[in-house]
């Protein structure tokens, strides 16, 4: 019979400082490739960064604006963090894009370390180290670590809150004394998370509490959260800015963030991001690569041990929130990222022997389906590495070959006989380490070698370079029609006119000496008609072509000036 260690044997273990330092160094090694080389990514990253830049340009650190429009979908926390880093760097509003990404990088590294801390409290120190390795190697976190937006910081807040909650929960079950430390950490994380991305963290933690209460029919232990003192702490963090922005915007912030953003996402797919239930189950295999199949095995094992308090806590963290996200109409892969640590905690507990292996006869069909999905995904990734770079102007080179080989190795090691349960649970750090190394080589090839060289994707940098050489006056303003991605505001200037063909034509007529416009071919007919209506003629200066990846379109862009 398989030897399974109990949580009581492991729970008192703590990771030492050297383990945390090693995890931080590994996380930086995985997350840094491409961070400095990739241009601003449309659309969310560019919008966040531009709004932060405008705070510094205007000196208004309360209101949130993208050019002339209010941007009230998210609270102010992420903008303040980006502004602080840009000011410390010294570049301020003119700081390069990688400076703004340092906030997400820090959040991702913090999430990895906090995952180790949370898992150590539930399943032991070695499981904590393993869970952190799994999280830092997964594809989705690597993407978010390189994007200057909210999700990596939100993840760190959720893991801090849930790790604190787990300690309170286990202490209450064992009858141990409960101090204020974990409760205050929980509410600190809630306050920061509310200021960064609104109600997402309270939703996840609230569903965890409700699920545990209903499952065990025990509620009094939740008083250990010190809700009065803790709620006051969270309010001190959130309410001052909330009151000021509500007054300054005459209530527009709450109306747009709650009604125009949150409620709209619940009932309709915003910005063409609608998808049916099951979307996250399908995308998980990509988002959790190269550990997707292993996660399936860990979850099957965990369900059989759901009577264990530590396992029950992780399932309460994962399952109800996952169902809610599947039911919400607007879906994007990163929405479920705050649930991934729960999956990797369970997988680490399984690999370290704290959670018993699933019964082969019972779960073998699901395991075989997982093998097939992992193999298909590996083949698709290899095909993408071979096919996409030449299409996007990058060509197939040594970086592509390294990335394709890494995917092949990871695919072989994560399905079939290599995932035999006995082998998996023998020195699991070595197996996870090999998969992590394969993942690192893929990320290095993709982010450092392939993506920056795919020139056809990076239209905004090409436009910015063309404007520098074509602008007729030092203070010429660019008007863009047809291609109006927010990265143009970062690279060309806050005053860039992102509008319709008619607006671009009107601007050239108003500024005949200094005005310059770039018009996408699909908008040219409307642009020329508006000019002809006003009796104006233009000269075509130059053209460029590429791929608008936000829309999935091949585009041709032409620069125009009023004929002198």
């Amino acid at each position: 019979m398989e030897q399974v260690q109990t949580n009581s044997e492991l729970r008192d273990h703590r990771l030492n400082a050297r383990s945390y330092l090693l995890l931080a160094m590994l996380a930086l090694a995985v997350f840094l490739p491409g961070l400095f080389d990739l241009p601003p990514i449309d659309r969310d990253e560019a919008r966040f960064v531009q709004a932060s830049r405008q705070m510094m340009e205007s000196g208004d650190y309360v209101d949130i604006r993208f050019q002339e429009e209010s941007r009230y979908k998210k609270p102010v926390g992420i903008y303040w963090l980006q502004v602080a880093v840009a000011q410390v760097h010294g570049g301020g509003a003119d700081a390069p894009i990688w400076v703004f990404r340092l906030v997400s990088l820090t959040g991702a590294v913090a999430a990895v370390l906090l995952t180790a801390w949370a898992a150590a409290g539930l399943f032991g120190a070695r499981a904590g180290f393993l869970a952190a390795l799994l999280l830092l190697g997964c594809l989705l976190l690597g993407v978010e670590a390189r994007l200057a937006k909210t999700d990596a910081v939100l993840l760190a807040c959720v893991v801090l809150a849930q790790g604190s909650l787990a300690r309170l929960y286990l202490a209450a079950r064992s009858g141990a004394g409960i101090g204020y430390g974990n409760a205050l950490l929980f509410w600190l994380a809630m306050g920061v998370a509310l200021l960064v991305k609104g109600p997402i963290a309270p939703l996840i933690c609230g569903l965890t509490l409700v699920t545990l209460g209903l499952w065990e029919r025990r509620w009094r232990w939740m008083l250990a959260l010190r809700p009065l003192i803790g709620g006051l702490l969270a309010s001190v963090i959130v309410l001052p800015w909330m009151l000021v922005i509500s007054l300054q915007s005459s209530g527009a912030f709450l109306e747009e963030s709650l009604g125009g953003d949150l409620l709209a996402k619940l009932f309709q797919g915003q910005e063409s991001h609608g998808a049916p239930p099951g979307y996250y189950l399908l995308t998980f295999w990509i988002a959790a690569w190269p550990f997707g199949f292993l996660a399936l095995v860990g979850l099957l094992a965990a369900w059989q041990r759901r009577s264990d308090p530590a396992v029950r806590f992780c399932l309460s963290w994962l399952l109800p929130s996952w169902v809610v996200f599947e039911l919400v109409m607007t879906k994007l892969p990163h929405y479920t990222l705050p649930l991934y640590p729960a999956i990797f905690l369970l997988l680490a507990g399984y690999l370290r022997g704290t959670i018993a292996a699933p019964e082969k006869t019972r779960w073998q069909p699901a395991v075989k389906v997982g093998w097939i999905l992992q193999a298909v995904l590996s083949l698709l990734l290899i095909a993408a590495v071979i096919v996409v770079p030449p299409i996007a102007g990058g060509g197939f080179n040594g970086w592509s070959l390294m990335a394709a080989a890494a995917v092949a190795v990871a695919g072989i090691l994560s399905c079939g006989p290599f995932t035999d349960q006995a082998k998996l649970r023998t020195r699991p750090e070595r197996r996870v380490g090999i998969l992590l190394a394969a993942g690192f080589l893929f990320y290095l090839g993709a982010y450092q070698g392939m993506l920056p060289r795919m020139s056809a994707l990076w239209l905004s940098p090409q436009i910015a370079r063309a404007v520098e050489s074509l602008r007729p006056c030092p203070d010429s303003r660019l008007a863009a029609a047809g291609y109006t991605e927010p990265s143009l505001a970062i690279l060309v200037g806050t005053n860039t006119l992102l509008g319709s063909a008619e607006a671009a034509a009107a601007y050239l007529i108003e500024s005949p000496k200094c005005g310059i416009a770039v018009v996408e071919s699909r908008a040219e007919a409307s642009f020329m008609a508006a000019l002809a209506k006003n009796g104006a003629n233009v000269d075509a200066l130059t053209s460029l072509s590429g791929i608008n990846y936000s829309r999935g379109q091949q585009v041709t862009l032409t620069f125009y000036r009023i004929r002198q």
Side-chain angles (χ1 to χ4, degrees):
M1 176 178 279
E2 181 183 24
Q3 187 70 26
V4 178
Q5 294 172 282
T6 65
N7 285 324
S8 60
E9 294 172 323
L10 297 172
R11 193 173 298 135
D12 291 336
H13 289 193
R14 298 290 184 269
L15 282 167
N16 57 40
R18 285 181 298 177
S19 297
Y20 284 114
L21 179 60
L22 177 58
L23 286 171
M25 293 173 64
L26 289 171
L28 288 173
V30 171
F31 298 150
L32 281 176
L35 187 89
F36 304 97
D37 300 285
L38 293 171
I41 307 297
D42 290 307
R43 295 184 175 114
D44 281 352
E45 178 182 57
R47 288 169 176 161
F48 279 109
V49 171
Q50 179 59 25
S52 297
R53 292 175 71 237
Q54 287 183 220
M55 281 187 172
M56 290 180 276
E57 291 171 348
S58 67
D60 184 347
Y61 297 98
V62 174
D63 201 9
I64 307 168
R65 306 194 75 79
F66 178 84
Q67 294 190 310
E68 299 301 319
E69 297 180 1
S70 61
R71 181 165 170 78
Y72 292 156
K73 292 187 176 184
K74 300 293 182 292
V76 78
I78 199 67
Y79 305 102
W80 282 353
L81 292 172
Q82 290 180 358
V83 165
V85 172
Q87 297 284 27
V88 170
H89 169 266
D94 297 321
I97 185 66
W98 64 264
V99 172
F100 296 90
R101 289 172 177 160
L102 292 179
V103 175
S104 292
L105 175 68
T106 302
V109 174
V112 169
L113 300 181
L114 289 167
T115 295
W117 170 75
L122 289 167
F123 298 112
R126 295 184 70 180
F129 190 85
L130 200 57
L133 287 181
L134 293 164
L135 181 65
L136 75 88
C138 88
L139 178 63
L140 182 56
L141 182 57
V143 171
E144 294 302 328
R146 294 171 172 86
L147 294 177
K149 54 194 195 76
T150 57
D151 295 281
V153 176
L154 173 68
L155 175 64
C157 292
V158 170
V159 179
L160 176 58
Q162 293 288 74
S164 303
L165 183 60
R167 279 166 164 73
L168 292 172
Y169 167 70
L170 292 179
R173 288 187 61 91
S174 65
I178 301 175
Y180 280 81
N182 283 306
L184 292 179
L185 284 176
F186 175 87
W187 290 106
L188 175 65
M190 284 295 100
V192 175
L194 279 165
L195 204 58
V196 167
K197 202 168 181 176
I200 302 302
L203 170 70
I204 293 170
C205 296
L207 286 173
T208 302
L209 287 167
V210 170
T211 303
L212 286 171
L214 293 174
W215 199 336
E216 299 184 342
R217 297 182 182 179
R218 297 172 57 251
W219 302 89
R220 288 186 59 84
W221 70 269
M222 298 178 192
L223 293 175
L225 282 170
R226 310 297 200 275
L228 293 179
I229 296 175
L232 179 61
L233 173 61
S235 298
V236 167
I237 296 172
V238 176
L239 284 183
W241 175 81
M242 192 73 70
L243 292 173
V244 173
I245 190 62
S246 297
L247 292 172
Q248 185 169 319
S249 66
S250 300
F253 172 78
L254 290 176
E255 181 179 347
E256 184 174 339
S257 62
L258 296 180
D261 186 55
L262 180 62
L263 293 179
K265 286 179 178 177
L266 294 177
F267 302 111
Q268 60 186 9
Q270 284 192 328
E271 299 180 359
S272 303
H273 295 316
Y279 169 87
Y280 292 115
L281 285 177
L282 292 176
T283 57
F284 175 79
W285 298 93
I286 300 174
W289 186 89
F291 304 118
F293 171 75
L294 296 183
L296 169 66
V297 176
L299 288 172
L300 295 178
W303 183 250
Q304 292 186 171
R305 294 271 291 177
R306 59 190 179 274
S307 60
D308 183 288
V311 173
R312 181 175 295 178
F313 180 87
C314 292
L315 291 175
S316 299
W317 178 352
L318 170 65
L319 297 179
S321 294
W322 194 285
V323 170
V324 169
F325 284 125
E326 291 282 16
L327 294 176
V328 170
M329 290 300 295
T330 300
K331 293 183 175 66
L332 284 170
H334 62 264
Y335 286 1
T336 52
L337 179 59
L339 310 183
Y340 280 39
I343 298 173
F344 291 135
L345 262 64
L346 292 171
L347 175 55
Y350 162 72
L351 292 174
R352 286 303 318 156
T354 311
I355 300 174
E359 300 170 10
K360 289 186 178 181
T361 56
R362 187 174 183 182
W363 299 110
Q364 197 63 25
V367 171
K368 289 181 177 179
V369 170
W371 288 352
I372 294 171
L373 288 174
Q374 192 78 4
V376 169
L377 172 60
S378 299
L379 292 174
L380 290 175
L381 280 175
I382 292 171
V385 167
I386 295 172
V387 173
V388 173
I391 294 175
F396 185 83
N397 51 38
W399 293 106
S400 304
L401 185 62
M402 181 177 71
V407 173
V409 170
I412 292 170
L413 292 177
S414 58
C415 59
F418 292 95
T419 57
D420 177 81
Q421 291 170 7
K423 293 179 180 179
L424 270 178
R425 290 149 69 89
T426 302
R427 304 188 72 174
E429 291 88 354
R430 173 181 291 183
R431 291 184 167 274
V432 170
I434 294 173
L435 281 175
L436 180 61
F440 168 73
L441 292 177
F442 172 75
Y443 302 143
L444 183 64
Y447 292 119
Q448 192 69 42
M450 293 163 52
L451 279 171
R453 291 168 172 78
M454 295 184 190
S455 56
L457 297 178
W458 312 123
L459 286 169
S460 291
Q462 293 184 59
I463 292 171
R465 289 191 293 269
V467 169
E468 281 299 312
S469 63
L470 296 173
R471 67 169 77 235
C473 305
D475 58 348
S476 290
R477 181 187 185 192
L478 176 69
Y483 179 85
T484 57
E485 298 302 330
S487 56
L488 278 178
I490 296 176
L491 296 173
V492 182
T494 299
N495 67 346
T496 302
L497 177 62
L498 305 176
S500 65
E502 293 77 11
Y507 168 67
L508 288 189
I509 293 169
E510 293 170 3
S511 305
K513 291 186 178 181
C514 294
I516 184 172
V518 61
V519 183
E520 201 269 320
S521 58
R522 294 173 181 83
E524 279 189 348
S526 300
F527 176 71
M528 292 299 181
L531 290 169
K533 185 177 179 180
N534 290 275
N537 294 307
V538 291
D539 291 321
L541 304 177
T542 189
S543 296
L544 56 89
S545 299
I547 301 170
N548 184 349
Y549 56 83
S550 295
R551 295 182 180 273
Q553 295 176 337
Q554 287 276 351
V555 297
T556 300
L557 302 165
T558 304
F559 290 83
Y560 292 99
R561 277 191 63 194
I562 290 290
R563 183 171 296 164
Q564 300 300 308

